[in-house]
Amino acid sequence: GGPRPLPGQEVSVKVLGALEDGGLVERDPRLIFVPGYGDVVQALELGVPTMQPGEVSFFLAAFPYAYGRPGSREPDVPPDAPLLFEVTLLEVRDGPDPQPLPAAARLRLGSQRRERGNFHFARGDFAAALRSYRLSLRALDGPATAPPGPEEEEERREQRVKCLNNCAAAELKLGRAEEALAACEAALRISPDNGRALLRRGQLLAEQGRDAEAALVLRRALELDPASKVIHTELSRLAKRQSNLSNT
């Protein structure tokens, strides 16, 4: 009884997930998520909003709606495996506004959502990956119950840089070079010597024809990683292009 979940509402469900041979691979007595955030497999994203509180449903999910073609190590799901989910909708409530969290809880939530983004990225769902990375940043930047200690603040900075680099990678896969460049620059504002962000920013600047800026960024990246073949190749390509332009 009661209304079905609306967009943005948070749900609590009891979930059992089994393979075709009956092997149980998922058991969660109270899984909490907001449909649409990308924190669970698509079978639950799509199926739970059709349910009413107290209802028990069975969803037979083909592999694209479960763990995809690669499967998963944790839980142990083989490639191309369909799953049968038994789902009980326990509760529906309004989606939570960002609530002050202890520093450790913010870090844990941010890490979970970044890892979920990596899950989507590995399966080629770059829009879902980007959504999870943004939710991770939102968790990391949310209000805290108390000022973080030095170690917690350092870990938060490191997680934000990882997330922004991942956002840049997802934006590139979606063909959005300007957004990818903005994500790189945001990462470098936090960590000016982050090699991954420097390299990608240099590559993006070069693609835009901003060769002088690209060369400066790539030389800085090379100072940090002198053995990088990728950076040497990018600088050689820039030098060759500038030589060709000067000869025309």
Side-chain angles (χ1 to χ4, degrees):
R4 295 179 174 87
L6 297 173
Q9 288 190 309
E10 186 178 75
V11 298
S12 299
V13 297
K14 177 184 175 183
V15 179
L16 295 174
L19 299 169
E20 284 184 308
D21 63 7
L24 195 64
V25 293
E26 290 200 27
R27 182 198 297 270
D28 195 321
R30 195 171 188 86
L31 174 64
I32 299 173
F33 66 98
V34 178
Y37 274 24
D39 290 334
V40 295
V41 296
Q42 258 198 310
L44 300 183
E45 290 270 12
L46 298 173
V48 171
T50 71
M51 299 174 63
Q52 293 178 286
E55 183 177 351
V56 181
S57 294
F58 291 87
F59 301 121
L60 180 58
F63 70 84
Y65 300 93
Y67 284 89
R69 190 168 295 282
S72 174
R73 291 183 179 178
E74 292 184 9
D76 185 12
V77 178
D80 295 346
L83 287 180
L84 177 64
F85 291 99
E86 178 187 315
V87 183
T88 306
L89 180 53
L90 302 173
E91 187 179 3
V92 179
R93 52 189 173 274
D94 288 338
D97 293 325
Q99 297 293 324
L101 293 173
R106 279 199 308 173
L107 293 171
R108 185 167 57 252
L109 181 58
S111 179
Q112 287 172 349
R113 288 183 168 167
R114 178 168 50 82
E115 289 171 4
R116 189 66 189 174
N118 294 343
F119 173 89
H120 292 307
F121 194 99
R123 283 154 176 75
D125 191 345
F126 305 116
L130 185 60
R131 183 167 59 245
S132 292
Y133 295 143
R134 287 173 175 168
L135 287 168
S136 175
L137 288 168
R138 180 181 174 188
L140 293 168
D141 293 339
T145 54
E151 291 184 3
E152 290 167 330
E153 180 59 23
E154 180 60 26
E155 184 177 346
R156 189 178 79 92
R157 286 166 57 87
E158 290 177 3
Q159 283 205 37
R160 291 185 72 233
V161 170
K162 288 179 182 178
C163 254
L164 288 165
N165 275 325
N166 290 352
C167 283
E171 295 282 18
L172 278 175
K173 290 291 187 180
L174 293 167
R176 301 199 290 240
E178 286 293 339
E179 289 83 351
L181 182 59
C184 291
E185 290 171 346
L188 290 168
R189 284 195 291 272
I190 301 169
S191 178
D193 289 338
N194 183 266
R196 185 178 174 193
L198 284 168
L199 172 58
R200 186 172 282 126
R201 181 169 185 256
Q203 291 171 323
L204 288 165
L205 290 171
E207 288 175 9
Q208 294 180 356
R210 297 159 66 179
D211 291 359
E213 294 175 78
L216 285 173
V217 173
L218 290 169
R219 288 191 192 107
R220 178 55 185 155
L222 190 63
E223 290 175 8
L224 297 168
D225 187 5
S228 171
K229 293 181 180 179
V230 175
I231 301 173
H232 280 289
T233 300
E234 293 292 338
L235 284 168
S236 297
R237 185 180 293 119
L238 275 178
K240 184 177 181 179
R241 187 162 70 189
Q242 289 170 344
S243 176
N244 291 338
L245 288 173
S246 64
N247 292 332
T248 57

